[in-house]
Amino acid sequence: MTEGTARVTLEVDGRAVEVPGGASLLDAATAAGVELPALCSDTRLGPVGSCRTCLVRAGGRLVAACVTPAAAGARVSAVAADLVELRRDAVRTIVSALPPYALGPQMPSELARVCRTLGIGPEDARGAGGRGRDDSHPYVRLDRDLCIACGRCVRMCADVQGTFALTLTGRGADTAVAPGTGGPWAESDCVSCGGCVDTCPTGAITQPGGGSGLTSGELLRQGPGDPAAPAVVRTTCGFCGVGCALDVAVGDGAVAAVLPALDGPVNRGHACVKGRFAHGFAVSPERLTTPLLRQDDGRLEPVGWDTAAAHVARRLADAITAGGPDSVAAISSARATNEENYLFQKFMRTVVGTNNIDNCSRLCHAPSAAGLVASFGLSGGTDSFDDLVRADCLLVVGANPVEAHPVVGARLLQRALRGARLVVADPRKVGLARQADVHLRPRPGTNVALFHGLARVLLAEDLVDHRFLRERASGLAELAELVASYTPEHVARVTGVPAADLIAAARLYGRAERPAIVYGLGVTEHLHGTDGVRTLANLAILRGAVGTDGGFGVNPLRGQNNVQGASDMGALPDLLPGYGKVTDPAARSRAEAVWGRPVPARPGLRIPDMFAAARAGRLQALWVLGEDVCATDPDTGNVEEALTACPFVVCSELFPSRTARHADVVLPAASWLEKDGTFVNFDRRFQRVRPAISPPGHARSDFAALHAVASAMGRGLDCPTPSAALAECARTAPLFAGLSHERLDREGAVAWPCPDPAGPGTPKLYGERFATPDGLAHLAAVPYLPPGEAPDDAYPFVLVTGRRWAHYNSGSMTRRSGNLGLAPADHLDLHPDDAARHGIRDGGDVVVESRHGRARLTARVTSEIAPGQVFCAFHFPASGVNRLTSGHADGVTSCPEYKVTAVRVLAVGKRAGGPGGA
Ligand code: FES
């Protein structure tokens, strides 16, 4: 349905119905309670009107309802006997080419249901079959004999996912879907979003059966009241920060299938290979199912929760006695719910008595928090995703959403394909860069120079909003003076971006009516990541494209599912829930009034400082929750040393991770599919997380574990349920005062700030004033400074790390799912010229060495990467990628410089190491 502004009233079989302008007669019939067969129609797709199964009469003419606009005052006949017969004939004709099992009693397809309604049976299906199957893909099964060539799968792949992996081949009745590349599905361009499975009306495309024998989306959507239908739980995806609403079908206590919610606020019926399919980890035999306690002989042995909690309580109390509260530290998690993060920071502040709590946003978007607060006042993206996809120019910087945030990537791609101008700034030619009007490829570590170069063009060509700058911004004179020297030619020398490309990009952004900036870790994970965020924000301020109708601001794509929420909840060493400073007496007393306990005023340790303190013998105890720091943190040799040095380490985990190996107590945790609470996604939306299945064995939510330990320490944490925890948080933090589980259950998603239970959330920020002390947006006049590492003769390549589409972060979940079959190893991408020069072949083993460590990977020779650069993910900790990365970090936030490491690469079999050893 195309949304229109005005509503239209018409009559369907004598009943008046009102539908939005742009709706079709199919929509009108649905609104009137008339269910028409509609085999080539899907609400996520534009109508094509090819199957002719939705015939109705309007204005005396027979028309296909799906492609006929609902006109005001129209009189539509849909249920007349002759129309039913016409539709039956159309469906029967389609069915006649199918084999009888297409309508077998076990077939849960949309077509089978339609046929049951119309009285069409297996005897009407007289096709001989024999067109063959394709079972090559781990998540998709194709039975060509059931294909009716409706094209829904092809259009889902093209119009929603933007991958164009499918096509219709053959002639006449033999026409059927096939991968566009011609070979097996597994070798096609398919990125396993599941859209084709979800839309297929016949069962031609299915996923391998789950616990309930579920094979298609149709079964899931049979709806309440059908005893054969599985239980369905609406929750929010626990992989990346997009926040897709998912419907989890549960049969026999296991996940049978996961489908994207058609009414998902962000994903709107779409999902990616992770949320849709990678749930196998939940039943992995490697799940931790009971607490483990390290014995005197060094072995970790199973114990009961009471023993484990009592031991943790005693050791924490001993640490506090020996070294004071500040000798205890905790790392909370962007994987955990808001309520768990809230409870953990409350535990550390009120039970232990320290602000030594941080979360893994330290490693990714801490510069976003610092930079956006400095520029605009609040620690979040400025606009909603709904608005972003209305932009007429997208500036996508340091992000590869097509792989790392596929649902966002797909919608941005759709926007670009429908006419928005697209500027991509990223060293690699990946994802959206292939569709970009201008692709800027700055050398890693030169973002600030690039952004200043763009700012200079905006100023020089008067592509700025003078009124906005005069009334709502500060710092223009200082910025103009600074960027005067960032001429396109100078910037070209620093960044490697041709001057003409820089100018072209600035003009596209500067001349757009509604430009938007979307960025990722390619902006933040640098030595000067906060400067990068601030100087990128400069562009939106110069254009007056933030807090106005003239654009859609600056929006970070958050990496982990709840990285925004973990910080929102105050799992930070200097900030309380809702971002009150621990150094601010008013913020402290607000929390103290709710908690009934004093809040320490001295900011605590950041994650890198915790490890340094442990190595220096100043840390007595460390609790790491939901984070495999030995796999994901930079320079992991130093992390392992810290954990070894720390006298007492607790690790809450799903699996026996590398970090768990260093722990004295391992607490088995519940996964996102098994717990209750909320997440906050990348555009600040609170959404509910609901348990679909039970955790295995004795695994518990982190929420329950924290209560157990606090109780064993003789201290209550109040808020016995996640719902009570969010309610308490709402009393502690004005930013969230209007939020509750009940409200989210009712409304689905609410964006903060939400100060009033009766008021709306705030999807778009700063409409009247910025949240800075003076109410102005602050331009940042900070100079470009070089990265911490530069290539030289000994280490001639720059290593950039990031994500691949099939995996997620350390891969602890996706490697324990069918996704492993899609991407079984980490690869090192390098340019063909570099490969040839160093005798490295595609698929060959290579050793990568930096000044900090060594990794072993498989080479992937590709021109996606620029000469002199190499790229790899860190989804397989065994490859040792994060041993390579340095300890350099953003000076403002301590975020590691993951994106720039000087390395050398050697084909295995050659001698590694030594100057020039690349
Ligand atoms: Fe209307 Fe196919 S659904 S023609």
Side-chain angles (χ1 to χ4, degrees), residues 199-442:
T199 193
C200 178
T202 68
I205 304 177
T206 55
Q207 68 182 77
S212 69
L214 189 76
T215 56
S216 87
E218 178 62 14
L219 181 57
L220 181 57
R221 297 209 168 90
Q222 282 177 327
D226 184 337
V232 176
V233 177
R234 170 66 57 87
T235 192
T236 304
C237 183
F239 285 101
C240 78
V242 172
C244 293
L246 301 176
D247 286 330
V248 181
V250 181
D252 299 330
V255 174
V258 178
L259 291 185
L262 289 175
D263 56 350
V266 182
N267 54 316
R268 300 181 180 188
H270 192 208
C272 79
V273 63
K274 286 159 275 201
R276 181 74 162 77
F277 291 116
H279 50 79
F281 73 89
V283 291
S284 164
E286 294 180 76
R287 281 290 298 269
L288 292 166
T289 58
T290 186
L292 302 172
L293 180 61
R294 195 167 298 281
Q295 307 297 310
D296 292 341
D297 62 5
R299 286 178 303 117
L300 282 168
E301 287 292 325
V303 294
W305 268 100
D306 288 349
T307 304
H311 186 83
V312 174
R314 188 171 65 252
R315 293 293 302 267
L316 292 183
D318 290 349
I320 295 167
T321 302
D326 287 340
S327 71
V328 178
I331 299 175
S332 197
S333 178
R335 320 287 304 123
T337 62
N338 290 320
E339 293 75 6
E340 289 167 335
N341 277 286
Y342 176 80
L343 205 65
F344 206 7
Q345 62 82 34
K346 184 180 178 186
F347 172 84
M348 291 301 289
R349 290 181 164 121
T350 66
V351 177
V352 177
T354 178
N355 284 313
N356 284 347
I357 181 150
D358 204 355
N359 76 81
C360 40
S361 71
R362 184 67 53 205
L363 309 181
C364 58
H365 271 292
S368 290
L372 294 173
V373 166
S375 295
F376 305 126
L378 289 174
S379 178
T382 60
D383 286 70
S384 85
F385 188 48
D386 304 331
D387 285 339
L388 278 182
V389 292
R390 294 194 293 120
D392 62 348
C393 177
L394 294 160
L395 173 54
V396 181
V397 188
N400 182 15
V402 168
E403 293 202 51
H405 305 83
V407 168
V408 164
R411 286 188 66 191
L412 295 181
L413 178 60
Q414 288 170 40
R415 186 69 195 133
L417 292 173
R418 288 171 189 160
R421 310 309 296 267
L422 177 62
V423 177
V424 171
D426 195 287
R428 295 187 301 143
K429 188 174 185 178
V430 290
L432 294 173
R434 299 192 186 102
Q435 270 74 36
D437 293 282
V438 182
H439 179 199
L440 308 173
R441 305 185 75 174

Side-chain angles (χ1 to χ4, degrees), residues 459-839:
L459 286 162
E461 301 198 2
D462 199 23
L463 299 173
V464 301
D465 185 332
H466 293 285
R467 183 172 174 189
F468 181 90
L469 290 169
R470 201 168 50 245
E471 296 178 357
R472 300 199 58 189
S474 68
L476 178 61
E478 295 85 346
L479 179 68
E481 183 181 346
L482 176 82
V483 301
S485 60
Y486 287 80
T487 63
E489 296 71 26
H490 171 64
V491 172
R493 284 190 294 277
V494 174
T495 65
V497 171
D501 288 354
L502 182 86
I503 294 168
R507 287 174 179 167
L508 284 175
Y509 182 79
R511 291 173 179 167
E513 289 183 16
R514 301 180 309 280
I517 294 173
V518 178
Y519 73 92
L521 301 179
V523 171
T524 58
E525 289 179 338
H526 288 281
L527 185 63
H528 306 291
T530 302
D531 289 351
V533 173
R534 294 211 60 194
T535 51
L536 181 59
N538 283 347
L539 305 179
I541 299 171
L542 288 171
R543 276 288 283 107
V546 56
T548 69
D549 294 333
F552 303 120
V554 186
N555 303 280
L557 287 173
R558 303 293 182 150
Q560 304 202 61
N561 54 316
N562 198 33
V563 74
Q564 176 76 52
S567 296
D568 292 348
M569 293 296 110
L572 291 168
D574 54 342
L575 297 169
L576 296 164
Y579 297 99
K581 293 180 177 166
V582 297
T583 52
D584 175 2
R588 281 202 313 280
S589 62
R590 199 165 47 235
E592 286 165 348
V594 176
W595 297 342
R597 296 282 304 166
V599 173
R602 190 170 68 161
L605 297 172
R606 296 171 174 179
I607 291 173
D609 302 325
M610 293 176 190
F611 295 141
R615 288 193 298 272
R618 296 195 308 274
L619 207 62
Q620 297 292 319
L622 176 66
W623 188 342
V624 184
L625 186 146
E627 183 79 2
D628 190 1
V629 292
C630 292
T632 57
D633 286 38
D635 204 354
T636 48
N638 270 335
V639 176
E640 287 168 340
E641 202 182 302
L643 296 189
T644 303
C646 189
F648 182 62
V649 175
V650 183
C651 176
S652 300
E653 252 297 354
L654 301 182
F655 300 105
S657 64
R658 286 167 181 254
T659 303
R661 287 180 213 161
H662 291 268
D664 300 281
V665 178
V666 180
L667 301 177
S671 76
W672 62 274
L673 286 161
E674 299 153 356
K675 57 188 175 185
D676 181 39
T678 55
F679 294 152
V680 185
N681 79 333
F682 79 102
D683 67 353
R684 294 176 281 105
R685 288 180 223 225
F686 275 77
Q687 297 185 100
R688 289 279 279 119
V689 180
R690 300 182 180 90
I693 54 176
S694 301
H698 301 287
R700 286 185 183 179
S701 69
D702 299 318
F703 194 86
L706 283 160
H707 271 300
V709 172
S711 171
M713 294 179 81
R715 302 287 284 279
L717 284 171
D718 300 324
C719 42
T721 64
S723 174
L726 188 62
E728 185 183 285
C729 176
R731 295 202 306 279
T732 310
L735 221 46
F736 314 131
L739 289 162
S740 66
H741 280 206
E742 294 71 26
R743 179 173 183 177
L744 294 169
D745 286 339
R746 216 169 44 242
E747 299 181 25
V750 180
W752 69 255
C754 182
D756 181 356
T762 317
K764 184 178 181 68
L765 294 175
Y766 313 128
E768 290 174 8
R769 73 190 303 275
F770 290 92
T772 50
D774 59 9
L776 300 175
H778 291 186
L779 289 161
V782 293
Y784 161 71
L785 297 169
E789 295 205 350
D792 56 20
D793 288 345
Y795 299 94
F797 291 102
V798 173
L799 169 71
V800 178
T801 63
R803 287 187 193 170
R804 308 283 191 188
W805 65 280
H807 289 292
Y808 175 77
N809 210 20
S810 70
S812 64
M813 296 191 295
T814 50
R815 281 185 285 104
R816 294 176 172 99
S817 74
N819 287 27
L820 187 65
L822 298 168
D826 274 340
H827 286 87
L828 184 80
D829 292 355
L830 78 170
H831 191 272
D833 293 349
D834 291 328
R837 191 173 313 119
H838 297 286

Side-chain angles (χ1 to χ4, degrees), residues 88-178:
R88 182 180 292 122
D89 284 347
V91 174
R92 192 180 278 129
T93 301
I94 290 169
V95 162
S96 66
L98 303 181
Y101 70 86
L103 303 185
Q106 301 304 318
M107 184 59 74
S109 70
E110 178 181 335
L111 176 66
R113 182 170 54 78
V114 164
C115 286
R116 278 193 288 276
T117 308
L118 293 173
I120 298 171
E123 67 282 1
D124 293 298
R126 295 185 297 274
R131 289 191 288 181
R133 298 182 57 88
D134 184 338
D135 294 330
S136 62
H137 194 280
Y139 293 137
V140 183
R141 299 282 185 264
L142 171 61
D143 181 347
R144 291 192 182 86
D145 289 338
L146 296 184
C147 182
I148 60 171
C150 66
R152 278 163 61 168
C153 53
V154 177
R155 287 183 288 137
M156 279 293 286
C157 191
D159 299 351
V160 174
Q161 170 55 35
T163 298
F164 302 92
L166 301 179
T167 188
L168 292 175
T169 61
R171 288 166 176 250
D174 277 340
T175 305
V177 65

